Amino acid sequence: MTSAQRLRLGLLLAAVLIAALAIGAGLVRAAFYQETAAGAPPAARHPVVAAGAVGQCAGQPARAARELRGMWLTTVYNLDFPSRPGLGQAQVEAEYRRWLDVAVAQHHNAIFVHVRPSGDAFWPSDYAPWSNWLTGRFDGRSPGWDPMAFMVAEAHARGLEFHAWFNPYRGTQPAPSGTGTDAAKLAPNHPLRRHPQWRIAYPTGSKGRFYFDPGIPEARRFVEDAMLEAVRKYDVDGVHFDDFFYPYPEEGQDFPDSASFARYGAGRSKADWRRENVNTLIREMQERLRQLKPWVRFGISPFGIWRNRSSDAGGSATSGLESYSAIYADTRRWVREGWLDYIVPQLYWTIGFGKADYAKVLPWWAQTVKGTDVQLYIGMADYRVGEKGDWSDPAQLDRQMALNDRYGVQGEIHFSAAQVRDDKLGAVTRYRRAHYASPALPPRSARLTARGPAAPRLTAARGRDGRLVFDADTPDATNWALYRTTGGPATLVATGRAGAEIADPKPAANATYCLSALDRSGNESPLSPGYPAPAA
């Protein structure tokens, strides 16, 4: 096969698979390539994340891992949740609780919920119609309840951070599951119906969808307002974008934004203008978030390649699609400018993969965040487990996470919830035992480091349904962390939101417990005095 043929094949695979799935976490970017043989596994395992010393419990040192652990809960096309459109409130709530049970069982501490998949909303919004993935309708009518309020409260009750996941510029999804590029099918209150000058249809044909034009300042401001509405109304812990800004390119088609470029381009090249449009969105969201609720973290999960070294000496040792030039996402600049609290590159390739070797791309990202306050998490490709080639090895994710530990990565987000639940080939069980065997606290926000809250106090304990449940005074806490010692170092056994039940789910004999309080930014108090467990 000639190089030209290989290029055409790669582009065809990308266009077909990306359009077919049309999901919000860049699932099939690896479809641009053919899989190669696996490289050698890491030479040695390194400890999981560096633990944070928090003091002593009953004379024993107390330590807890500090790393972000989460999964993406995808709503577009009902890939994860809800299981189908048009379900009643009780069933949607029950399904969501089961997803949280999965997260807790995996010792996760955050969940990333797709609340604006395509110009719509999973909350009562003044800026967007209700999502058809929830209601089963395109008319924008209310389902009669507030899913967002429920989802945030339920996540917090289980000690999970709630990160609201938005797609900024997508306005619709392809027909027939979405409304495609048929403006007559848009909900009466859809902003792209009310403001037709903001909408762009791309690509042509059956896979087309509407986009908000990123080059129109009024459209960009409206999109920001729509997302910030959710931040104002709900106690979210984070605002999260994935890799979709300008659309991934379709062969032979350019995104048709010539009108806005002619009006706002100001003499720049179209590529530079588009990049600056995205940069402006990121910068303004950061500025406005910090004005509105400074404790809410802002993070993005971009495509895993900024630029190849062949294009830029500062790029990675890769030869794949570049987010910088293909979708106008200057991800390295976002880190260097400090516009983000965290970045989650989607490294959806195996160790040893020729065009984008996980073991080579990961160090590039670790070096990119070095010396900044931007935390590095990695987007993990749980959805690829079981594919032919290297992904048929159930240890692949485990080995990747060992590399994450080696390079100081501060957490992972797994795509997606269904694959975490299904545990194909036992891969999830394998990495959970190796890396998530006990609970962890989320990393502290480098931007908001401060003295922790006052120390709480355990006041009573009693057995209940196999758990040991505590009463406590936690006057200044947003969250709590429960530690246990049986004579050796005290370990973290449970976490939760202030007001939620404080309990050890699997009590040990002859144990002593201590409690800490945490503020919104993860700053931890001194430990409470030790509280001996009551005799059985």
Side-chain angles (χ1 to χ4, degrees):
M1 182 182 291
T2 67
S3 59
Q5 288 173 322
R6 285 195 296 271
L7 177 61
R8 284 195 296 270
L9 176 60
L11 289 172
L12 176 61
L13 286 170
V16 171
L17 292 174
I18 291 170
L21 292 176
I23 50 179
L27 287 190
V28 291
R29 305 299 167 234
F32 278 84
Y33 317 112
Q34 292 291 323
E35 194 73 62
T36 61
R45 291 286 296 267
H46 284 243
V48 181
V49 296
V54 295
Q56 293 201 336
C57 178
Q60 297 295 328
R63 298 176 72 85
R66 283 275 190 171
E67 65 176 344
L68 191 286
R69 301 173 183 171
M71 62 187 184
W72 282 290
L73 187 65
T74 311
T75 58
V76 67
Y77 291 109
N78 301 104
L79 289 178
D80 293 325
F81 163 80
S83 59
R84 64 179 187 273
L87 296 177
Q89 177 179 350
Q91 188 166 349
V92 173
E93 291 180 344
E95 289 185 359
Y96 182 72
R97 289 190 179 104
R98 287 195 291 271
W99 286 119
L100 297 184
D101 292 342
V102 170
V104 170
Q106 296 298 324
H107 289 149
H108 289 183
N109 49 32
I111 191 164
F112 295 75
V113 183
H114 213 182
V115 296
R116 178 190 164 91
S118 40
D120 48 3
F122 270 68
W123 71 93
S125 174
D126 293 332
Y127 297 87
W130 282 95
S131 177
N132 64 286
W133 312 114
L134 173 71
T135 66
R137 303 185 304 268
F138 296 123
D139 58 14
R141 285 189 295 160
S142 171
W145 64 293
D146 188 341
M148 187 86 152
F150 169 81
M151 292 189 295
V152 172
E154 289 291 316
H156 287 167
R158 288 161 176 78
L160 297 167
E161 292 185 348
F162 185 96
H163 291 246
W165 169 16
F166 304 94
N167 286 129
Y169 287 127
R170 282 189 164 183
T172 62
Q173 296 291 348
S177 298
T179 56
T181 56
D182 187 346
K185 292 182 179 179
L186 295 174
N189 64 332
H190 197 295
L192 293 183
R193 187 166 191 161
R194 293 176 169 176
H195 302 277
Q197 72 278 14
W198 292 353
R199 70 180 183 234
I200 290 181
Y202 182 84
T204 58
S206 62
K207 299 302 181 182
R209 56 167 64 85
F210 282 136
Y211 290 85
F212 290 83
D213 186 346
I216 298 177
E218 294 83 4
R220 181 183 66 245
R221 187 74 174 190
F222 184 92
V223 166
E224 294 173 7
D225 290 344
M227 296 184 289
L228 291 169
E229 178 192 46
V231 178
R232 283 195 302 272
K233 293 177 70 171
Y234 303 100
D235 188 18
V236 302
D237 300 286
V239 166
H240 183 78
F241 297 167
D242 55 32
D243 56 314
F244 289 120
F245 297 98
Y246 279 89
Y248 283 85
E250 296 284 342
E251 186 175 10
Q253 298 186 50
D254 187 32
F255 189 67
D257 57 354
S258 56
S260 53
F261 176 58
R263 183 173 182 183
Y264 299 107
R268 291 167 289 190
S269 71
K270 182 175 279 191
D272 286 343
W273 172 72
R274 286 174 173 173
R275 269 187 293 275
E276 190 54 32
N277 291 334
V278 179
N279 289 341
T280 301
L281 171 74
I282 305 307
R283 184 184 67 252
E284 290 182 350
M285 280 296 293
Q286 179 246 26
E287 292 169 351
R288 298 181 70 186
L289 270 170
R290 292 187 184 181
Q291 292 171 359
L292 179 61
K293 290 184 177 180
W295 58 86
V296 173
R297 276 149 293 153
F298 182 33
I300 296 178
S301 181
F303 181 69
I305 299 172
W306 170 68
R307 301 194 80 183
N308 300 312
R309 194 170 293 165
S310 60
S311 301
D312 187 302
S316 51
T318 51
S319 56
L321 179 143
E322 300 174 333
S323 66
Y324 179 89
S325 55
I327 54 175
Y328 310 101
D330 191 353
T331 52
R332 189 181 70 168
R333 183 178 176 189
W334 305 345
V335 172
R336 289 182 167 182
E337 296 284 355
W339 293 337
L340 306 177
D341 292 302
Y342 65 85
I343 195 162
V344 196
Q346 297 170 16
L347 303 191
Y348 291 170
W349 309 290
T350 56
I351 296 168
F353 178 51
K355 291 185 178 292
D357 183 345
Y358 190 98
K360 294 179 180 178
V361 185
L362 174 64
W364 185 90
W365 280 103
Q367 184 62 35
T368 297
V369 303
K370 187 176 181 180
T372 75
D373 286 337
V374 179
Q375 295 174 341
L376 176 63
Y377 315 145
I378 299 298
M380 306 298 297
D382 292 49
Y383 77 98
R384 300 202 66 189
V385 171
E387 292 181 9
K388 67 179 182 179
D390 297 340
W391 286 110
S392 64
D393 178 2
Q396 178 66 221
L397 291 174
D398 179 16
R399 294 204 305 270
Q400 292 180 5
M401 292 169 70
L403 277 178
N404 294 352
D405 299 338
R406 175 179 297 179
Y407 284 99
V409 172
Q410 292 183 270
E412 294 94 13
I413 310 175
H414 297 267
F415 195 91
S416 69
Q419 284 75 37
V420 174
R421 176 198 62 195
D422 295 346
D423 192 15
K424 198 168 187 178
L425 304 183
V428 175
T429 295
R430 180 185 290 262
Y431 72 63
R432 180 189 182 278
R433 288 173 177 168
H435 303 277
Y436 297 169
S438 59
L441 298 175
R444 297 176 186 87
S445 171
R447 177 172 56 86
L448 296 170
T449 300
R451 177 186 291 273
R457 185 170 64 93
L458 294 169
T459 59
R462 59 200 174 279
R464 180 188 298 166
D465 300 327
R467 296 168 292 121
L468 187 61
V469 180
F470 294 88
D471 295 333
D473 292 331
T474 56
D476 299 321
T478 300
N479 295 285
W480 53 262
L482 183 67
Y483 295 81
R484 181 183 71 202
T485 176
T486 55
T491 57
L492 182 67
V493 294
T495 64
R497 199 78 166 183
E501 179 184 79
I502 301 171
D504 182 353
K506 296 180 180 179
N510 303 313
T512 299
Y513 291 85
C514 297
L515 192 70
S516 70
L518 295 97
D519 65 18
R520 289 183 179 272
S521 302
N523 299 300
E524 193 169 14
S525 75
L527 291 179
S528 69
Y531 191 96

